[in-house]
Amino acid sequence: MSSHDRTLFAGVDIGGTTTQVVLCAEDLTVLDRAEVATPATDGGRAMIGAALGALAPLLERTPGRLVGCGVGAAGVVDSATGRILVASDSFTGWAGFAVTDAVEEALGVPAFLDNDVNAFLYGEVSGGAVRGESDVLGMTLGTGVGGALWTGGALFTGPHGAAGEIGHIPGFGDLLCSCGGRGHLETLASGRSIGARYADRTGRRLTAREVAQAADRGDQDALEVYRAAGAGIARAIVMTAGVVDITTVVVGGGVSRAWPLLEPLILASLAADPPVSGHPVRLVRAALAADAVPVGAAARARRELAAKVGV
């Protein structure tokens, strides 16, 4: 088969600040990629237009036949209808937008929509740190805390699309969460919360990365903030393992850049309070970095088309 006959899949990650686009071969090898600013205040049509505009030159310079496109997007999505259900206030005209209809109309190929954390987990299972595993909890520690479940070799979203959202389960104290609830894991383990907890203790405002650097220098306040984050993450893992018996946890997002600091804190808490099964849970850092969501979106497109039309 010549390169002009090969099958291509596109993957898109629409974030509040940037949009990442990749073009993948059938085995999900990234052949080309691009990044563009997300026009988040200009409405759904503009956001999809920016993504497709970034994809166009990739298609022009990459021989092959595009057969499907996956999109990962922040917020609550309806994968069945391809629409955004709920979006944060950083987006304008996004909630209710028919994403897959717009993409299919522009590209002439089937399109599929997932929220960004589900797409992240698709990517890591398909070609990242947990490749080929059957029971995985995916956690993203960024501005917020997101979660997704992979059980029995497939993504499990639940009847309302909220399965795996461990970041917004209460029981982690009494601090006010960004969603309006109290005591959610996000109040301890998100990048925003790590900075806020350090400011509560010291009166100094630092980013999560700066707090990690301070902890590495021996700052006890910074270390206590990360110790609380690690203990909260471990408790969330044990809770999930007790309900669905996951065997592995993959962690991504900006906070995971402090992995040399964070990993031993999580593992220490897991050792002190292990899952009820008595079996240890494998903890790994995500491997695909910024490619995880768009590659995962492309993997979703590949999986759906393989199941439905034998691509």
Side-chain angles (χ1 to χ4, degrees), residues 49-168:
L52 295 175
L55 178 61
L58 275 59
L59 291 169
E60 289 176 3
R61 64 186 180 229
T62 307
R65 177 176 62 94
L66 183 69
V67 297
C69 180
V71 180
V76 180
V77 310
D78 184 338
S79 293
T81 65
R83 289 178 177 270
I84 305 294
L85 296 180
V86 180
S88 75
D89 57 10
S90 62
F91 292 92
T92 300
W94 194 224
F97 188 76
V99 174
T100 57
D101 285 351
V103 173
E104 288 176 352
E105 179 183 350
L107 296 178
V109 298
F112 305 90
L113 175 67
D114 274 304
N115 88 349
D116 51 355
V117 186
N118 288 347
F120 156 81
L121 186 51
Y122 253 113
E124 290 295 331
V125 170
S126 298
V130 290
R131 185 173 197 161
E133 297 203 27
S134 61
D135 298 280
V136 183
L137 170 65
M139 299 179 70
T140 53
L141 311 175
T143 303
V145 172
L149 277 176
W150 188 269
T151 61
L155 188 71
F156 177 69
T157 58
H160 305 107
E165 286 293 356
I166 195 66
H168 293 283

Side-chain angles (χ1 to χ4, degrees), residues 108-310:
V109 298
F112 305 90
L113 175 67
D114 274 304
N115 88 349
D116 51 355
V117 186
N118 288 347
F120 156 81
L121 186 51
Y122 253 113
E124 290 295 331
V125 170
S126 298
V130 290
R131 185 173 197 161
E133 297 203 27
S134 61
D135 298 280
V136 183
L137 170 65
M139 299 179 70
T140 53
L141 311 175
T143 303
V145 172
L149 277 176
W150 188 269
T151 61
L155 188 71
F156 177 69
T157 58
H160 305 107
E165 286 293 356
I166 195 66
H168 293 283
I169 291 178
F172 298 85
D174 193 45
L175 295 168
L176 184 65
C177 186
S178 63
C179 70
R182 285 191 175 273
H184 295 178
L185 176 61
E186 186 170 297
T187 66
L188 299 177
S190 72
R192 180 167 45 195
S193 295
I194 286 170
R197 301 292 76 79
Y198 185 77
D200 290 343
R201 296 177 69 96
T202 66
R204 290 186 289 146
R205 287 269 172 196
L206 298 179
T207 65
R209 183 176 184 179
E210 290 168 339
V211 176
Q213 291 169 342
D216 289 337
R217 295 193 298 269
D219 184 323
Q220 290 303 303
D221 289 306
L223 184 57
E224 284 303 315
V225 168
Y226 266 91
R227 185 173 285 119
I233 293 166
R235 186 171 181 220
I237 291 169
V238 170
M239 291 167 64
T240 307
V243 175
V244 293
D245 200 19
I246 47 98
T247 61
T248 307
V249 178
V250 58
V251 181
V255 174
S256 70
R257 287 196 290 265
W259 197 242
L261 170 65
L262 191 59
E263 181 189 27
L265 296 173
I266 300 171
L267 291 176
S269 290
L270 286 173
D273 187 13
V276 68
S277 69
H279 294 278
V281 174
R282 191 168 79 95
L283 179 71
V284 295
R285 185 183 180 187
L288 296 181
D291 281 346
V293 174
V295 168
R300 163 79 193 285
R302 184 185 70 169
R303 186 183 182 99
E304 294 289 343
L305 290 172
K308 293 179 181 179
V309 296

